[in-house]
Amino acid sequence: MKGIILAGGTGTRLYPITEGISKQLMPIYDKPMIFYPLSTLMSAGIRDILIITTPQDQESFTRLLKDGSHFGVRISYAVQESPRGLADAFIVGEDFIGNDSCCMILGDNIFYGDKFSKKLKEAFKNAEEGFATIFGYQVKDPERFGIMELDSDRNVLSLEEKPLKPKSKFAVTGLYFYPKGVSEYAKKVEPSKRGEIEITTLNDMYLQNKNLKAEILGEGFTWYDTGTFESEVDAILMIRSIQNNQDRVICCPEEIGYFNNWISKETLIERADLMSKNSYGQYLRKLLQEIAK
């Protein structure tokens, strides 16, 4: 399976900050925002990752993430010339995806919860068996999101993009798993009135073909779409609280890479030495001490 992080867009809701820096490079507590979606893909067992950026921001992402080998993954890059909709990622990344299944996550989405990796692995399995999977999360303002209507068994009945009268409070989050052939599906999506290749339309195509499943993130899960000042602050406070209370770093790519046997102990030492003057590097050093026991 291939993975895509969509890190394009203009980030206008975060101006003036994002006039000078990509939203996905901004800090969310002790790490860049993009570390969180990267960790989600890695937790799903995905190692081949394409990062789609704007033309002006690609160099910054390359400087930060390089080829991904220090995390145990293979990162490549592509440019989305203009924000043509989320499903456009599968057209931009068509050659990268090839004949594989694909997971796409938005670069400003943060997920945290018990047994999340189990849900990711289930969605991975669905994609390999020919089914798309979307993730639902209950929100208080459903009119701001794509919404899924569910039956009593939590099967998807319908999908709507930012409805004025939502049929449910379950938002479709920015995490999607698709079987092979998703690029061909995306190319069949007609641009919406706002000129975008809508992800809701793509998902509806799978729904109409009875090839769409939903994973609901219920109690014990947190999801942030960190595209506003308020949601960024909420995410920072949540992450700070969890890490201080549990004395650990969440969404740490080096840790995931090491315990998946994707990087060596020597690579982990190099990363710890690089960041020895802050709590992130000290956490990596603590992992090394625990490994040595």
Side-chain angles (χ1 to χ4, degrees), residues 10-23 26 229:
T10 55
T12 52
R13 289 183 295 171
L14 293 173
Y15 274 13
I17 298 171
T18 48
E19 285 186 284
I21 185 174
S22 168
K23 170 177 61 176
M26 291 172 58
F229 297 120

Side-chain angles (χ1 to χ4, degrees), residues 36-47 49 73 111 116-121 124 177 251-253 256-257 260 262:
Y36 295 90
L38 175 62
S39 294
T40 296
L41 294 182
M42 292 175 66
S43 295
I46 298 170
R47 299 185 71 182
I49 297 168
V73 298
F111 295 86
F116 184 42
S117 61
K118 182 179 179 181
K119 288 184 176 290
L120 294 172
K121 299 268 173 42
F124 189 121
F177 283 76
C251 294
C252 175
I256 298 168
N260 278 340
W262 295 348

